[in-house]
């Protein structure tokens, strides 16, 4: 929780207006502030024209340098935010309009790390991948959802790297 009384009041006001819980309201206010800062400060852009916050760009560069110096994972991050960034990088190796069998997906993910099952589970948990449990087929989620709660905090600012 924050110690800033004014910010707490803003969060509580939003909670009253929208019916959101504290964490969701807080995340939305922080995201709104970051978007306002991004529009005021020029930064780098993605291929889709979205502006990347310089702080996010530094975080991405440092995380990739630490965990994927040669394009392969040397370790799976324990910090969730770094893990989300790694998952987005791994997701880029998958074709968005292709359906994969579990074996095909495992082969692709094992190129990144031997614990490909963990990578697959995390991609599904963050709803970056979808699956049909009956047929064992996987595909890239064409419309990644808006995350809430702790996932929203972990994903904040990193959405610009999704296709």
């Amino acid at each position: 929780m924050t110690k800033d009384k004014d910010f707490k009041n803003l969060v509580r006001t939003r909670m009253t207006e929208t019916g959101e819980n504290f964490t969701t309201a807080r995340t939305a206010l922080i995201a709104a502030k970051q978007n306002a800062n991004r529009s005021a400060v020029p930064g780098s852009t993605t291929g889709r024209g979205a502006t990347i916050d310089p702080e996010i760009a530094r975080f991405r560069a440092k995380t990739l340098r630490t965990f994927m110096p040669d394009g392969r994972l040397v370790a799976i991050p324990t910090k969730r935010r770094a893990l989300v960034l790694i998952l987005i990088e791994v997701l880029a190796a998958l074709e968005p309009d292709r359906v994969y069998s579990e074996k095909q997906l495992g082969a692709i993910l094992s190129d990144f790390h031997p614990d490909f099952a963990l990578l697959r589970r995390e991609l599904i948990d963050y709803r970056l991948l979808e699956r049909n449990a009956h047929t064992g087929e996987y595909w890239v989620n064409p419309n990644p959802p808006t995350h809430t709660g702790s996932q929203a905090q972990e994903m904040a600012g990193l959405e610009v790297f999704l296709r």
Side-chain angles (χ1 to χ4, degrees):
M1 281 240 199
T2 181
K3 293 179 182 177
D4 185 0
K5 237 180 182 179
D6 294 332
F7 186 68
K8 280 184 185 178
N9 289 335
L10 288 173
V11 172
R12 288 195 176 101
T13 301
R14 182 179 172 97
M15 289 170 60
T16 303
E17 292 171 356
T18 63
E20 296 170 330
N21 65 25
F22 186 89
T23 303
T24 305
R26 179 181 178 276
T27 302
L29 288 172
I30 290 171
K33 181 180 177 188
Q34 288 175 343
N35 287 338
N37 289 344
R38 267 190 224 124
S39 62
V41 178
S44 59
T45 59
T46 63
R48 295 180 298 165
T51 303
I52 300 172
D53 182 356
E55 186 177 322
I56 297 292
R58 281 191 299 276
F59 172 73
R60 180 177 184 264
K62 180 181 177 189
T63 302
L64 292 177
R65 194 173 47 249
T66 303
F67 292 101
M68 294 180 80
D70 60 355
R72 185 169 159 74
L73 277 166
V74 294
I76 295 177
T78 55
K79 293 191 177 191
R80 302 302 292 178
R81 188 155 170 79
L83 176 62
V84 168
L85 182 74
I86 294 299
L87 292 175
I88 291 171
E89 293 297 319
V90 168
L91 188 68
L94 301 175
E95 296 174 27
D97 52 356
R98 181 172 168 200
V99 176
Y100 296 91
S101 69
E102 188 167 346
K103 188 174 184 176
Q104 291 170 327
L105 182 63
I108 293 168
L109 296 179
S110 67
D111 288 343
F112 289 97
H113 194 272
D115 193 355
F116 59 88
L118 174 67
L119 292 174
R120 184 182 64 229
R121 280 192 307 270
E122 293 291 350
L123 284 165
I124 290 169
D125 286 348
Y126 280 94
R127 294 170 290 189
L128 299 173
L129 270 187
E130 293 288 321
R131 72 174 167 177
N132 183 329
H134 300 293
T135 62
E137 295 176 328
Y138 297 83
W139 59 92
V140 175
N141 186 348
N143 302 312
T146 302
H147 294 87
T148 59
S150 61
Q151 282 190 353
Q153 291 174 339
E154 295 157 4
M155 294 283 293
L158 300 178
E159 300 91 355
V160 296
F161 298 114
L162 290 172
R163 297 176 231 220

